[in-house]
Amino acid sequence: MPLILISGYPSSGKTYRSQQILDFFTRKISESEEPEVKRLKVHHFDDQGLGLSRDVYATARAEKDARATLSSAIKRVLSRDAVIVADGMNYIKGFRYQLYCEAKAVQTPNCVVHVGTPPDKCRVLNEVALKTATGGYEPEIFDNLVFRYEEPNGMSRWDSPLFTVPYDDAEPPYEAIWEAMIGSEGKAKVVRPNTATVLKPASDQNYLYELDKTTSEIVAAISAWQQDHAGEGGDEISVPGAETKILLPLAPPSLPQLQRLRRQFTTLNRQHSVSKGRLRELFIDYLNDAFQS
């Protein structure tokens, strides 16, 4: 059932908002007369519950391991009979995309709740937390996380539907979230998976080779086009063998940015045995979504 990702700056109040949503969903499920809703179980995952300290964000390796821990915990219970509230930083759009794919693969809806507390307010709250038993983020880690935060964008399918909760709002939009995840009639929603998110064993021995080759060719095509056009942005690039065109943003992506997106895509699709003929279109779609977010 639904996967609700909580996202926000450090010390923005994510845990508080998560608890509000947990309490609301628990009450609604207990009051429902629909068997499909009554059987739902609510799960909550956060760094503290998973035994992760705030210091994991001090190094890239520790942070990567922490994200893997959260992802594994979610995948263990992700099903049509579970409501999961994932309370964590979730500040990297590639990670949100990964969890979006996991939800689609089990035909369950997902959404993102953005805790919209301004950075200056978060800084004050973090300084207070550092002086209490609840703890906070060390200043250097706090500043680094704020700098690297990739704000959710409702125009991206993995961040949609997106619910933003301003700091001054007493409560999240409970009913809107319930409607998006469960439905007004109380019937559990089922999401139809698409070709890109159905996990299958890789039956084609050449699949990984084609995945690497296709994505490399597209990155090379973009780089060559930018060299020929003096790094211009805001234009369309046609790729041989693909109907969809690459829509470059006004600020053209650098080669390291393109390589990072390529690595994210190949990692996410390494176990997805999709048609080799679809890889080109899927990667172009992925790039266009990333450029527009």
Side-chain angles (χ1 to χ4, degrees):
M1 222 17 217
L3 170 61
I4 303 173
L5 287 181
I6 310 297
S7 181
Y9 289 121
S11 298
S12 59
K14 297 184 296 298
T15 299
Y16 174 66
R17 297 302 188 183
S18 296
Q19 192 59 54
Q20 287 182 308
I21 294 171
L22 283 166
D23 293 343
F24 176 81
F25 268 73
T26 300
R27 178 176 60 81
K28 289 281 285 188
I29 292 170
S30 65
E31 294 175 351
S32 176
E33 299 297 329
E34 293 290 340
E36 291 184 5
V37 176
K38 292 287 287 185
R39 73 186 186 195
L40 296 177
K41 296 182 179 180
V42 181
H43 302 269
H44 176 230
F45 296 111
D46 62 1
D47 288 352
Q48 183 177 5
L50 294 172
L52 304 172
S53 73
R54 291 177 172 84
D55 292 338
V56 298
Y57 297 103
T59 62
R61 179 56 185 270
E63 181 180 336
K64 181 179 179 180
D65 291 343
R67 284 199 299 273
T69 298
L70 174 60
S71 177
S72 297
I74 291 173
K75 287 191 284 187
R76 278 196 296 269
V77 299
L78 188 60
S79 70
R80 297 186 192 179
D81 296 330
V83 175
I84 301 173
V85 178
D87 168 19
M89 291 298 300
N90 299 322
Y91 72 97
I92 297 175
K93 59 187 175 184
F95 183 62
R96 297 196 298 267
Y97 177 80
Q98 176 186 345
L99 294 177
Y100 158 83
C101 290
E102 298 291 349
K104 290 278 285 185
V106 297
Q107 303 181 52
T108 187
N110 73 288
C111 72
V112 175
V113 176
H114 178 211
V115 182
T117 306
D120 290 343
K121 183 64 178 178
C122 293
R123 187 181 305 277
V124 173
L125 295 172
N126 188 66
E127 290 174 354
V128 172
L130 281 171
K131 300 175 183 178
T132 65
T134 58
Y137 298 87
E138 292 300 323
E140 184 177 350
I141 297 176
F142 177 90
D143 291 338
N144 192 23
L145 288 172
V146 169
F147 176 76
R148 292 190 286 130
Y149 185 73
E150 296 177 327
E151 186 171 321
N153 182 347
M155 298 297 291
S156 300
R157 61 182 182 274
W158 58 83
D159 285 337
S160 177
L162 174 63
F163 303 95
T164 298
V165 187
Y167 174 75
D168 293 333
D169 282 12
E171 299 176 337
Y174 297 129
E175 293 296 344
I177 298 173
W178 178 269
E179 165 65 23
M181 297 295 96
I182 306 296
S184 57
E185 297 180 359
K187 295 289 186 179
K189 288 189 174 182
V190 176
V191 175
R192 178 176 299 177
N194 53 37
T195 306
T197 58
V198 176
L199 291 174
K200 305 174 185 176
S203 57
D204 194 328
Q205 294 181 353
N206 295 325
Y207 173 75
L208 295 180
Y209 168 77
E210 290 295 335
L211 175 64
D212 182 74
K213 177 174 177 289
T214 299
T215 53
S216 296
E217 289 176 350
I218 292 176
V219 167
I222 297 174
S223 297
W225 189 95
Q226 291 188 124
Q227 289 178 0
D228 293 340
H229 294 79
E232 295 178 2
D235 210 335
E236 298 181 351
I237 302 177
S238 296
V239 177
E243 296 182 3
T244 306
K245 294 183 178 181
I246 299 171
L247 308 177
L248 283 181
L250 292 176
S254 64
L255 181 58
Q257 289 174 317
L258 291 172
Q259 293 289 9
R260 176 174 58 83
L261 290 171
R262 174 180 170 271
R263 287 194 298 271
Q264 290 176 353
F265 181 83
T266 54
T267 298
L268 292 169
N269 290 276
R270 188 170 296 277
Q271 297 181 17
H272 297 189
S273 182
V274 302
S275 169
K276 290 186 293 186
R278 288 276 296 146
L279 285 173
R280 195 172 299 271
E281 296 285 348
L282 290 174
F283 185 45
I284 292 174
D285 285 342
Y286 180 80
L287 291 175
N288 286 340
D289 281 332
F291 293 157
Q292 296 169 21
S293 62

